[in-house]
DNA sequence: GTGGAATCGGAACCTGAGTTCCGATTCCGC
DNA sequence: GCGGAATCGGAACTCAGGTTCCGATTCCAC
């Protein structure tokens, strides 16, 4: 079934592919999905045609990068699980994820504009499961309110995502408020579905 | 200095202007700033040329609507000040503002993409002051943590804004969490700047 | 009712950005 | 080295969507 055979590419092709990915990562992080293919090509020191040979469409390039990002998020979650203190591990993960959002405009846009794609990708790279585990561990230790679900971590990231765009506000401050809302103690309302 | 004299417009012109605004409100709420001028014209049952006579540019039309929205937000804040219970009044305002975001894609985009414009407009229509008053009243009554500023209300709205785009998540749930983070009691961290 | 000024409508124009195409160039097995 | 196949580069094409233009139409003062 697999159409993508591992045919050996020519050396220059492989080199260019890497250059394109590196350039695209930079340009998309800066300009979001509005970034232009010409700019990517220019930064990769390559013609536009070359970009299109490696990625048939702008959307394809964008997705390739997005999958990368989710893998990185999954790695963050993995590392966070290593932290002994369960609360710290949730906080650390959220901080890293949010910082990543803040430095990458494209990531926020994926979260906002491609909800279904995002859910699928998070599932595939194990991020969904890792999120659940992070949450359950903290709840078992009694340091996280019981009515939080793993998917709430994604929701929180998404909501912090676009704060980076407005210089007046800081996602760090917002995250602090949200974190206090996640604690098990204190007067609390009942969360809506 | 004022160039905008109140010259009486012809009846059909005034009628068309209203139709265009009504149509634009609907189309922009649905499609955000990606909305197309042709669609606005079609919905207003008017030619594109007519739209452009009333609003010299797409941007101008967009801004006219945005100012409207901020006036409405200011009215919400005003009404919220009438509520006796200071905590309720903050909650009510946030709920109304967030609901407005959820039903209006363009509003979220203004918050995200035109930060400075937004800050200026909020100032002009009195929303900034009203927010400060809402916050201070609640703090004086001891029902809102002391380290919250009026501008945090805007930040919260902004962060809730784009949750509406992803159907998996609900801004109501997120707002519940945030509200618990705003309460004065319970274990709390120190907010970052 | 009539004249002319204001307004309308929408085809045509223009620009920007994604994509294609093909001659030039580079790589690699012999 | 040589030959040809894979790859490159970037000018040119395409298409979508904002904006303009001007003949047709509508309104209002007289």
């Amino acid at each position: 079934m697999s159409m993508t055979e591992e045919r050996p590419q020519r050396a220059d092709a492989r080199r260019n592919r890497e250059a394109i990915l590196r350039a695209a990562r930079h340009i998309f992080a800066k300009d979001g999905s509005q970034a232009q293919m010409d700019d990517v090509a220019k930064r990769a020191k390559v013609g536009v045609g070359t970009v299109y040979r490696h990625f048939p469409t702008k959307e394809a390039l964008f997705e390739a990068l997005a999958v990368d990002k989710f893998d990185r998020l999954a790695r963050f979650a993995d590392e966070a699980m290593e932290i002994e203190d369960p609360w710290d591990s949730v906080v650390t993960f959220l901080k890293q994820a949010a910082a990543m959002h803040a430095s990458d405009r494209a990531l926020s846009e994926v979260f906002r504009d491609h909800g279904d794609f995002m859910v699928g990708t998070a599932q595939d790279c194990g991020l969904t499961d890792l999120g659940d585990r992070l949450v359950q561990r903290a709840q078992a230790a009694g340091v996280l309110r019981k009515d939080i679900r793993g998917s709430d971590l994604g929701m929180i990231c998404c909501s912090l995502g676009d704060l980076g765009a407005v210089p007046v506000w800081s996602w760090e401050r917002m995250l602090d408020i949200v974190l206090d809302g996640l604690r098990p103690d204190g007067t609390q309302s009942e969360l809506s579905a």
Side-chain angles (χ1 to χ4, degrees), chain A residues 125-150:
Chain A
C125 72
L127 185 54
T128 305
D129 288 342
L130 281 165
D132 286 342
R133 296 226 311 266
L134 270 176
V135 164
Q136 283 160 15
R137 192 165 73 117
Q139 284 172 333
V143 294
L144 181 68
R145 56 194 290 181
K146 299 292 192 209
D147 48 4
I148 292 294
R149 320 168 187 139

PDB file of all heavy atoms in Angstrom, chain A residues 125-150:
ATOM      1  N   CYS A 125       0.413  11.743  17.378  1.00  0.00           N
ATOM      2  CA  CYS A 125       1.769  11.852  17.923  1.00  0.00           C
ATOM      3  C   CYS A 125       1.793  11.538  19.413  1.00  0.00           C
ATOM      4  O   CYS A 125       2.812  11.707  20.074  1.00  0.00           O
ATOM      5  CB  CYS A 125       2.349  13.230  17.642  1.00  0.00           C
ATOM      6  SG  CYS A 125       1.623  14.529  18.621  1.00  0.00           S
ATOM      7  N   GLY A 126       0.657  11.111  19.935  1.00  0.00           N
ATOM      8  CA  GLY A 126       0.627  10.704  21.332  1.00  0.00           C
ATOM      9  C   GLY A 126       0.405  11.844  22.305  1.00  0.00           C
ATOM     10  O   GLY A 126       0.377  11.633  23.524  1.00  0.00           O
ATOM     11  N   LEU A 127       0.242  13.034  21.791  1.00  0.00           N
ATOM     12  CA  LEU A 127       0.098  14.193  22.671  1.00  0.00           C
ATOM     13  C   LEU A 127      -1.173  14.095  23.507  1.00  0.00           C
ATOM     14  O   LEU A 127      -1.184  14.425  24.698  1.00  0.00           O
ATOM     15  CB  LEU A 127       0.089  15.475  21.826  1.00  0.00           C
ATOM     16  CG  LEU A 127       0.071  16.790  22.577  1.00  0.00           C
ATOM     17  CD1 LEU A 127       1.212  16.853  23.575  1.00  0.00           C
ATOM     18  CD2 LEU A 127       0.172  17.957  21.603  1.00  0.00           C
ATOM     19  N   THR A 128      -2.235  13.619  22.879  1.00  0.00           N
ATOM     20  CA  THR A 128      -3.502  13.495  23.599  1.00  0.00           C
ATOM     21  C   THR A 128      -3.354  12.605  24.833  1.00  0.00           C
ATOM     22  O   THR A 128      -3.748  12.989  25.939  1.00  0.00           O
ATOM     23  CB  THR A 128      -4.576  12.909  22.667  1.00  0.00           C
ATOM     24  OG1 THR A 128      -4.660  13.713  21.491  1.00  0.00           O
ATOM     25  CG2 THR A 128      -5.929  12.881  23.350  1.00  0.00           C
ATOM     26  N   ASP A 129      -2.743  11.444  24.617  1.00  0.00           N
ATOM     27  CA  ASP A 129      -2.555  10.517  25.734  1.00  0.00           C
ATOM     28  C   ASP A 129      -1.664  11.113  26.809  1.00  0.00           C
ATOM     29  O   ASP A 129      -1.946  11.011  28.001  1.00  0.00           O
ATOM     30  CB  ASP A 129      -1.933   9.208  25.230  1.00  0.00           C
ATOM     31  CG  ASP A 129      -2.944   8.399  24.419  1.00  0.00           C
ATOM     32  OD1 ASP A 129      -4.150   8.676  24.548  1.00  0.00           O
ATOM     33  OD2 ASP A 129      -2.514   7.509  23.661  1.00  0.00           O
ATOM     34  N   LEU A 130      -0.584  11.730  26.376  1.00  0.00           N
ATOM     35  CA  LEU A 130       0.340  12.316  27.350  1.00  0.00           C
ATOM     36  C   LEU A 130      -0.362  13.378  28.179  1.00  0.00           C
ATOM     37  O   LEU A 130      -0.147  13.468  29.397  1.00  0.00           O
ATOM     38  CB  LEU A 130       1.548  12.923  26.617  1.00  0.00           C
ATOM     39  CG  LEU A 130       2.592  11.893  26.181  1.00  0.00           C
ATOM     40  CD1 LEU A 130       3.541  12.494  25.159  1.00  0.00           C
ATOM     41  CD2 LEU A 130       3.375  11.399  27.395  1.00  0.00           C
ATOM     42  N   GLY A 131      -1.209  14.166  27.537  1.00  0.00           N
ATOM     43  CA  GLY A 131      -1.964  15.184  28.258  1.00  0.00           C
ATOM     44  C   GLY A 131      -2.857  14.552  29.315  1.00  0.00           C
ATOM     45  O   GLY A 131      -2.888  14.995  30.467  1.00  0.00           O
ATOM     46  N   ASP A 132      -3.549  13.504  28.914  1.00  0.00           N
ATOM     47  CA  ASP A 132      -4.406  12.801  29.868  1.00  0.00           C
ATOM     48  C   ASP A 132      -3.596  12.315  31.065  1.00  0.00           C
ATOM     49  O   ASP A 132      -4.015  12.470  32.214  1.00  0.00           O
ATOM     50  CB  ASP A 132      -5.060  11.594  29.189  1.00  0.00           C
ATOM     51  CG  ASP A 132      -6.172  12.013  28.226  1.00  0.00           C
ATOM     52  OD1 ASP A 132      -6.643  13.163  28.348  1.00  0.00           O
ATOM     53  OD2 ASP A 132      -6.546  11.205  27.353  1.00  0.00           O
ATOM     54  N   ARG A 133      -2.438  11.744  30.778  1.00  0.00           N
ATOM     55  CA  ARG A 133      -1.626  11.197  31.871  1.00  0.00           C
ATOM     56  C   ARG A 133      -1.155  12.298  32.806  1.00  0.00           C
ATOM     57  O   ARG A 133      -1.180  12.151  34.030  1.00  0.00           O
ATOM     58  CB  ARG A 133      -0.431  10.430  31.305  1.00  0.00           C
ATOM     59  CG  ARG A 133      -0.868   9.203  30.489  1.00  0.00           C
ATOM     60  CD  ARG A 133      -0.058   7.949  30.843  1.00  0.00           C
ATOM     61  NE  ARG A 133       1.365   8.172  30.841  1.00  0.00           N
ATOM     62  CZ  ARG A 133       2.166   7.947  29.789  1.00  0.00           C
ATOM     63  NH1 ARG A 133       1.654   7.479  28.661  1.00  0.00           N
ATOM     64  NH2 ARG A 133       3.448   8.162  29.871  1.00  0.00           N
ATOM     65  N   LEU A 134      -0.704  13.414  32.223  1.00  0.00           N
ATOM     66  CA  LEU A 134      -0.267  14.553  33.044  1.00  0.00           C
ATOM     67  C   LEU A 134      -1.378  14.974  33.997  1.00  0.00           C
ATOM     68  O   LEU A 134      -1.152  15.178  35.198  1.00  0.00           O
ATOM     69  CB  LEU A 134       0.099  15.744  32.154  1.00  0.00           C
ATOM     70  CG  LEU A 134       1.530  15.880  31.651  1.00  0.00           C
ATOM     71  CD1 LEU A 134       1.634  17.066  30.710  1.00  0.00           C
ATOM     72  CD2 LEU A 134       2.484  16.068  32.828  1.00  0.00           C
ATOM     73  N   VAL A 135      -2.567  15.113  33.451  1.00  0.00           N
ATOM     74  CA  VAL A 135      -3.707  15.569  34.240  1.00  0.00           C
ATOM     75  C   VAL A 135      -4.067  14.554  35.320  1.00  0.00           C
ATOM     76  O   VAL A 135      -4.238  14.909  36.488  1.00  0.00           O
ATOM     77  CB  VAL A 135      -4.919  15.833  33.317  1.00  0.00           C
ATOM     78  CG1 VAL A 135      -6.205  15.926  34.133  1.00  0.00           C
ATOM     79  CG2 VAL A 135      -4.700  17.107  32.516  1.00  0.00           C
ATOM     80  N   GLN A 136      -4.150  13.298  34.919  1.00  0.00           N
ATOM     81  CA  GLN A 136      -4.559  12.277  35.901  1.00  0.00           C
ATOM     82  C   GLN A 136      -3.561  12.144  37.053  1.00  0.00           C
ATOM     83  O   GLN A 136      -3.952  11.979  38.205  1.00  0.00           O
ATOM     84  CB  GLN A 136      -4.748  10.926  35.198  1.00  0.00           C
ATOM     85  CG  GLN A 136      -6.054  10.866  34.418  1.00  0.00           C
ATOM     86  CD  GLN A 136      -6.060   9.803  33.359  1.00  0.00           C
ATOM     87  OE1 GLN A 136      -5.209   8.912  33.353  1.00  0.00           O
ATOM     88  NE2 GLN A 136      -7.023   9.892  32.439  1.00  0.00           N
ATOM     89  N   ARG A 137      -2.294  12.230  36.721  1.00  0.00           N
ATOM     90  CA  ARG A 137      -1.292  12.126  37.768  1.00  0.00           C
ATOM     91  C   ARG A 137      -1.454  13.256  38.781  1.00  0.00           C
ATOM     92  O   ARG A 137      -1.437  13.022  39.999  1.00  0.00           O
ATOM     93  CB  ARG A 137       0.113  12.171  37.152  1.00  0.00           C
ATOM     94  CG  ARG A 137       1.215  11.785  38.132  1.00  0.00           C
ATOM     95  CD  ARG A 137       2.514  11.492  37.427  1.00  0.00           C
ATOM     96  NE  ARG A 137       3.154  12.695  36.936  1.00  0.00           N
ATOM     97  CZ  ARG A 137       4.353  13.134  37.357  1.00  0.00           C
ATOM     98  NH1 ARG A 137       5.010  12.448  38.272  1.00  0.00           N
ATOM     99  NH2 ARG A 137       4.886  14.219  36.855  1.00  0.00           N
ATOM    100  N   ALA A 138      -1.645  14.458  38.276  1.00  0.00           N
ATOM    101  CA  ALA A 138      -1.791  15.606  39.181  1.00  0.00           C
ATOM    102  C   ALA A 138      -3.063  15.486  40.003  1.00  0.00           C
ATOM    103  O   ALA A 138      -3.082  15.835  41.191  1.00  0.00           O
ATOM    104  CB  ALA A 138      -1.791  16.899  38.364  1.00  0.00           C
ATOM    105  N   GLN A 139      -4.109  14.980  39.369  1.00  0.00           N
ATOM    106  CA  GLN A 139      -5.367  14.828  40.114  1.00  0.00           C
ATOM    107  C   GLN A 139      -5.216  13.758  41.194  1.00  0.00           C
ATOM    108  O   GLN A 139      -5.696  13.925  42.323  1.00  0.00           O
ATOM    109  CB  GLN A 139      -6.501  14.457  39.148  1.00  0.00           C
ATOM    110  CG  GLN A 139      -6.979  15.663  38.349  1.00  0.00           C
ATOM    111  CD  GLN A 139      -7.954  15.296  37.250  1.00  0.00           C
ATOM    112  OE1 GLN A 139      -7.925  14.169  36.745  1.00  0.00           O
ATOM    113  NE2 GLN A 139      -8.785  16.244  36.869  1.00  0.00           N
ATOM    114  N   ALA A 140      -4.525  12.671  40.869  1.00  0.00           N
ATOM    115  CA  ALA A 140      -4.323  11.611  41.852  1.00  0.00           C
ATOM    116  C   ALA A 140      -3.551  12.133  43.054  1.00  0.00           C
ATOM    117  O   ALA A 140      -3.797  11.724  44.193  1.00  0.00           O
ATOM    118  CB  ALA A 140      -3.577  10.448  41.200  1.00  0.00           C
ATOM    119  N   ALA A 141      -2.638  13.060  42.796  1.00  0.00           N
ATOM    120  CA  ALA A 141      -1.848  13.632  43.884  1.00  0.00           C
ATOM    121  C   ALA A 141      -2.623  14.720  44.628  1.00  0.00           C
ATOM    122  O   ALA A 141      -2.142  15.284  45.605  1.00  0.00           O
ATOM    123  CB  ALA A 141      -0.550  14.200  43.335  1.00  0.00           C
ATOM    124  N   GLY A 142      -3.815  15.038  44.135  1.00  0.00           N
ATOM    125  CA  GLY A 142      -4.648  16.040  44.802  1.00  0.00           C
ATOM    126  C   GLY A 142      -4.210  17.472  44.593  1.00  0.00           C
ATOM    127  O   GLY A 142      -4.600  18.360  45.331  1.00  0.00           O
ATOM    128  N   VAL A 143      -3.413  17.720  43.563  1.00  0.00           N
ATOM    129  CA  VAL A 143      -2.941  19.096  43.347  1.00  0.00           C
ATOM    130  C   VAL A 143      -3.630  19.766  42.158  1.00  0.00           C
ATOM    131  O   VAL A 143      -3.309  20.900  41.823  1.00  0.00           O
ATOM    132  CB  VAL A 143      -1.412  19.124  43.123  1.00  0.00           C
ATOM    133  CG1 VAL A 143      -0.687  18.693  44.380  1.00  0.00           C
ATOM    134  CG2 VAL A 143      -1.030  18.249  41.944  1.00  0.00           C
ATOM    135  N   LEU A 144      -4.555  19.046  41.550  1.00  0.00           N
ATOM    136  CA  LEU A 144      -5.280  19.615  40.398  1.00  0.00           C
ATOM    137  C   LEU A 144      -6.770  19.317  40.570  1.00  0.00           C
ATOM    138  O   LEU A 144      -7.129  18.195  40.942  1.00  0.00           O
ATOM    139  CB  LEU A 144      -4.773  18.968  39.099  1.00  0.00           C
ATOM    140  CG  LEU A 144      -5.399  19.442  37.790  1.00  0.00           C
ATOM    141  CD1 LEU A 144      -4.993  20.887  37.494  1.00  0.00           C
ATOM    142  CD2 LEU A 144      -4.977  18.531  36.637  1.00  0.00           C
ATOM    143  N   ARG A 145      -7.597  20.313  40.327  1.00  0.00           N
ATOM    144  CA  ARG A 145      -9.035  20.084  40.525  1.00  0.00           C
ATOM    145  C   ARG A 145      -9.518  18.914  39.668  1.00  0.00           C
ATOM    146  O   ARG A 145      -9.022  18.694  38.556  1.00  0.00           O
ATOM    147  CB  ARG A 145      -9.834  21.357  40.262  1.00  0.00           C
ATOM    148  CG  ARG A 145      -9.612  21.949  38.901  1.00  0.00           C
ATOM    149  CD  ARG A 145     -10.147  23.364  38.816  1.00  0.00           C
ATOM    150  NE  ARG A 145     -11.598  23.400  38.851  1.00  0.00           N
ATOM    151  CZ  ARG A 145     -12.304  24.516  38.770  1.00  0.00           C
ATOM    152  NH1 ARG A 145     -11.679  25.691  38.669  1.00  0.00           N
ATOM    153  NH2 ARG A 145     -13.606  24.477  38.792  1.00  0.00           N
ATOM    154  N   LYS A 146     -10.540  18.222  40.188  1.00  0.00           N
ATOM    155  CA  LYS A 146     -10.941  16.950  39.589  1.00  0.00           C
ATOM    156  C   LYS A 146     -11.683  17.103  38.261  1.00  0.00           C
ATOM    157  O   LYS A 146     -11.769  16.141  37.495  1.00  0.00           O
ATOM    158  CB  LYS A 146     -11.868  16.193  40.564  1.00  0.00           C
ATOM    159  CG  LYS A 146     -11.211  15.858  41.897  1.00  0.00           C
ATOM    160  CD  LYS A 146     -10.104  14.833  41.745  1.00  0.00           C
ATOM    161  CE  LYS A 146      -9.670  14.304  43.114  1.00  0.00           C
ATOM    162  NZ  LYS A 146      -8.273  13.886  43.129  1.00  0.00           N
ATOM    163  N   ASP A 147     -12.254  18.259  38.039  1.00  0.00           N
ATOM    164  CA  ASP A 147     -13.109  18.385  36.861  1.00  0.00           C
ATOM    165  C   ASP A 147     -12.360  18.874  35.620  1.00  0.00           C
ATOM    166  O   ASP A 147     -12.974  19.321  34.649  1.00  0.00           O
ATOM    167  CB  ASP A 147     -14.312  19.289  37.160  1.00  0.00           C
ATOM    168  CG  ASP A 147     -13.900  20.578  37.851  1.00  0.00           C
ATOM    169  OD1 ASP A 147     -12.676  20.786  38.027  1.00  0.00           O
ATOM    170  OD2 ASP A 147     -14.775  21.361  38.234  1.00  0.00           O
ATOM    171  N   ILE A 148     -11.050  18.758  35.668  1.00  0.00           N
ATOM    172  CA  ILE A 148     -10.241  19.114  34.496  1.00  0.00           C
ATOM    173  C   ILE A 148      -9.991  17.862  33.662  1.00  0.00           C
ATOM    174  O   ILE A 148      -9.786  16.780  34.211  1.00  0.00           O
ATOM    175  CB  ILE A 148      -8.895  19.713  34.957  1.00  0.00           C
ATOM    176  CG1 ILE A 148      -9.101  21.070  35.628  1.00  0.00           C
ATOM    177  CG2 ILE A 148      -7.929  19.850  33.788  1.00  0.00           C
ATOM    178  CD1 ILE A 148      -9.610  22.147  34.713  1.00  0.00           C
ATOM    179  N   ARG A 149      -9.996  18.019  32.342  1.00  0.00           N
ATOM    180  CA  ARG A 149      -9.713  16.878  31.460  1.00  0.00           C
ATOM    181  C   ARG A 149      -8.397  17.143  30.729  1.00  0.00           C
ATOM    182  O   ARG A 149      -7.945  18.282  30.636  1.00  0.00           O
ATOM    183  CB  ARG A 149     -10.771  16.739  30.386  1.00  0.00           C
ATOM    184  CG  ARG A 149     -12.185  16.990  30.826  1.00  0.00           C
ATOM    185  CD  ARG A 149     -13.063  17.104  29.577  1.00  0.00           C
ATOM    186  NE  ARG A 149     -14.408  17.502  29.937  1.00  0.00           N
ATOM    187  CZ  ARG A 149     -15.138  18.377  29.246  1.00  0.00           C
ATOM    188  NH1 ARG A 149     -14.631  18.942  28.168  1.00  0.00           N
ATOM    189  NH2 ARG A 149     -16.352  18.680  29.624  1.00  0.00           N
ATOM    190  N   GLY A 150      -7.853  16.103  30.175  1.00  0.00           N
ATOM    191  CA  GLY A 150      -6.614  16.257  29.421  1.00  0.00           C
ATOM    192  C   GLY A 150      -6.760  17.274  28.302  1.00  0.00           C
ATOM    193  O   GLY A 150      -5.872  18.088  28.057  1.00  0.00           O
TER     194      GLY A 150
END
